[in-house]
């Protein structure tokens, strides 16, 4: 039986509600029933970043809270998420053609979940590395990463033509910060229960 963490579930639920609200606005714009400047206005760009950041950070927290984060459970989890990511790519290609989703949130989570195994015991170092990777992802750009096969990394000089884009950098940095938060939460939770 898996342990449920109320705070994490509330944050995850809040992220889901925000995502649903955002996608309602996206769909209204897509079908021409409203005109939201989703790709231009700072409010919409910022709100999308908050939603993605919440999901990615919570994935990081969950990696550290899971007592059964072994290869068998990892392969099963990544298989499900990766399969859904492939389905999203195929369906979005049918809908949007060359603007299909080649590396969206599910693609990122599948890849980052595998790499996160290497950082399960990094603890405090995850905070330093996470902030560093986030800063690199937000400030470093190079034309090399404009090539189609490297666009998943991030560091491009422009946003690629796609309907959803969650590159490895800076978002893996956010996930590492989430993993550090998971360590802190693991420490605080029993203390809080003891003090009740």
């Amino acid at each position: 039986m898996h342990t449920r963490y109320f705070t994490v579930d509330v944050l995850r639920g809040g992220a889901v509600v925000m995502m649903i609200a955002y996608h309602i606005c996206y769909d209204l714009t897509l079908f021409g029933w409203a005109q939201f400047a989703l790709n231009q206005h700072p409010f919409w760009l910022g709100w999308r970043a908050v939603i993605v950041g919440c999901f990615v950070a919570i994935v990081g927290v969950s990696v550290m809270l899971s007592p059964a984060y072994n290869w068998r459970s990892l392969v099963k989890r990544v298989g499900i998420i990766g399969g859904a990511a492939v389905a999203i790519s195929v369906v979005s290609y049918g809908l949007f053609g060359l603007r299909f989703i080649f590396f969206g949130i599910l693609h990122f989570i599948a890849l980052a979940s595998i790499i996160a195994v290497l950082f399960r015991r990094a603890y405090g170092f995850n905070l330093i590395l996470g902030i560093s990777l986030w800063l690199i992802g937000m400030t470093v750009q190079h034309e090399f990463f404009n090539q189609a096969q490297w666009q998943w990394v991030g560091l491009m000089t422009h946003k690629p033509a796609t309907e959803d884009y969650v590159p490895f950098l800076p978002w893996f940095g956010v996930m590492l910060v989430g993993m550090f938060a998971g360590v802190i939460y693991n420490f605080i939770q029993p203390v809080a229960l003891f003090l009740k």
Side-chain angles (χ1 to χ4, degrees):
M1 183 175 177
H2 294 292
T3 303
R4 302 303 309 182
Y5 297 91
F6 177 77
T7 304
V8 177
D9 284 341
V10 168
L11 292 173
R12 185 183 290 114
V16 169
V17 169
M18 285 195 295
M19 181 192 67
I20 292 171
Y22 179 89
H23 275 280
I24 288 173
C25 297
Y26 173 89
D27 290 342
L28 290 173
T29 301
L30 179 66
F31 292 109
W33 297 333
Q35 295 297 323
F36 298 115
L38 301 176
N39 295 318
Q40 292 87 29
H41 197 281
F43 169 78
W44 295 105
L45 295 172
W47 190 25
R48 180 189 179 277
V50 168
I51 296 169
V52 173
C54 286
F55 271 109
V56 170
I58 291 168
V59 170
V61 170
S62 300
V63 165
M64 299 307 291
L65 295 182
S66 174
Y69 204 80
N70 54 49
W71 284 108
R72 184 174 181 179
S73 63
L74 178 64
V75 168
K76 180 180 178 182
R77 182 172 184 271
V78 170
I80 293 171
I81 297 172
V86 170
I88 289 291
S89 292
V90 171
V91 171
S92 64
Y93 185 80
L95 290 172
F96 305 112
L98 295 179
R99 290 187 59 85
F100 78 103
I101 301 170
F102 66 89
F103 205 81
I105 186 69
L106 293 181
H107 303 76
F108 169 83
I109 291 175
L111 176 62
S113 296
I114 297 170
I115 298 175
V117 174
L118 303 174
F119 298 90
R120 281 261 296 175
R121 297 186 183 277
Y123 305 122
F125 179 68
N126 282 337
L127 179 62
I128 299 169
L129 182 60
I131 292 172
S132 300
L133 291 179
W134 180 80
L135 287 172
I136 289 170
M138 294 299 292
T139 58
V140 176
Q141 296 181 342
H142 196 279
E143 291 181 359
F144 173 82
F145 296 99
N146 292 343
Q147 300 176 81
Q149 67 270 29
W150 293 109
Q151 290 180 1
W152 63 272
V153 176
L155 309 184
M156 295 180 62
T157 60
H158 60 86
K159 183 183 179 296
T162 178
E163 291 300 309
D164 187 31
Y165 182 55
V166 183
F168 189 73
L169 295 176
W171 294 111
F172 190 67
V174 176
M175 184 168 172
L176 289 179
V177 173
M179 289 174 68
F180 173 76
V183 173
I184 300 301
Y185 187 82
N186 245 341
F187 174 76
I188 292 175
Q189 187 76 358
V191 173
L193 290 174
F194 176 76
L195 294 176
K196 275 189 174 181

